[in-house]
Amino acid sequence: MEENESDHGSVNHNMAISKRTEISLDSVTTLLSQELNGSLDQGSVRTSKLASAIEGLCGTTEVSDPHRLGEVLHILWTAILDLAQKLDPLDSRHGILAQALDGLHRRENRIVMVEQAGWTTGGWDLWKDLPLLGQYLRDIWIDPADDQDQQWSPTTELEWKSLNTFAARLMGTGCLSWF
């Protein structure tokens, strides 16, 4: 009985976030961190809960409005990539996060239009195509030793290694190909 109540509470929390007019990076990061770190569930149950939390962020309003969906996806992908960078490169949660996205990728959902920076693109399946995730990953996937604007430090090197770990896990699932 308790398990169903916690599942129900998680679903209500997700629905409450998706119904807000503003979804913030902080609220999404908090939600994803709670689902990724807080559950004692193992394997597919934990992955499924995380996938549901991610899916809950894209409510009906967000999906029907290309501009709004672009904003939500920007926040979602930024939060996911930020979390991946903060995990140790050997942390098993990279796999859980990648498997959750793969679970979404395997769903056929609805065809959507996405607006980013004034450009509208369409014909994307919301979860199967994971619109713009590859672009966001490419944009931050810079070797800190090669980036003239960023000072190299053990922290930036560790975050880069963590991002590589996550990217490899994503590509290993097949939900993201080499770009």
Side-chain angles (χ1 to χ4, degrees):
M1 185 79 171
E2 285 182 23
E3 186 173 309
N4 288 338
E5 288 173 3
S6 68
D7 288 348
H8 183 68
S10 179
V11 170
N12 284 340
H13 182 65
N14 295 342
M15 290 173 69
I17 286 179
S18 68
K19 288 181 182 178
R20 291 181 194 159
T21 52
E22 293 300 320
I23 296 175
S24 71
L25 183 58
D26 288 340
S27 67
V28 173
T29 300
T30 299
L31 173 66
L32 296 177
S33 293
Q34 287 172 349
E35 292 296 331
L36 190 61
N37 300 323
S39 177
L40 297 177
D41 296 320
Q42 298 298 318
S44 62
V45 173
R46 188 173 184 187
T47 301
S48 178
K49 284 182 178 181
L50 182 57
S52 293
I54 293 168
E55 186 175 36
L57 295 168
C58 291
T60 306
T61 302
E62 287 78 14
V63 171
S64 64
D65 176 0
H67 179 73
R68 181 72 183 133
L69 182 58
E71 290 174 343
V72 170
L73 289 176
H74 169 77
I75 291 169
L76 177 61
W77 300 147
T78 300
I80 287 172
L81 295 173
D82 284 352
L83 281 172
Q85 284 183 298
K86 301 298 182 225
L87 296 174
D88 184 85
L90 301 176
D91 194 314
S92 64
R93 291 174 292 177
H94 283 290
I96 294 166
L97 193 52
Q99 289 169 0
L101 289 173
D102 184 50
L104 290 171
H105 166 74
R106 294 176 186 277
R107 298 178 188 180
E108 292 201 18
N109 200 308
R110 50 195 163 230
I111 305 303
V112 295
M113 303 285 284
V114 179
E115 181 183 316
Q116 284 271 285
W119 292 88
T120 302
T121 59
W124 300 34
D125 188 303
L126 180 58
W127 297 119
K128 185 167 184 57
D129 296 329
L130 300 173
L132 305 174
L133 176 58
Q135 178 182 336
Y136 279 90
L137 182 57
R138 265 192 319 274
D139 287 348
I140 64 169
W141 201 0
I142 299 169
D143 183 340
D146 293 339
D147 188 355
Q148 302 298 324
D149 296 331
Q150 183 176 3
Q151 292 291 324
W152 180 90
S153 72
T155 301
T156 56
E157 181 182 5
L158 187 62
E159 288 178 352
W160 184 72
K161 287 178 181 178
S162 293
L163 193 59
N164 279 309
T165 298
F166 182 62
R169 296 282 184 130
L170 280 175
M171 287 184 247
T173 66
C175 70
L176 193 65
S177 60
W178 185 254
F179 19 84

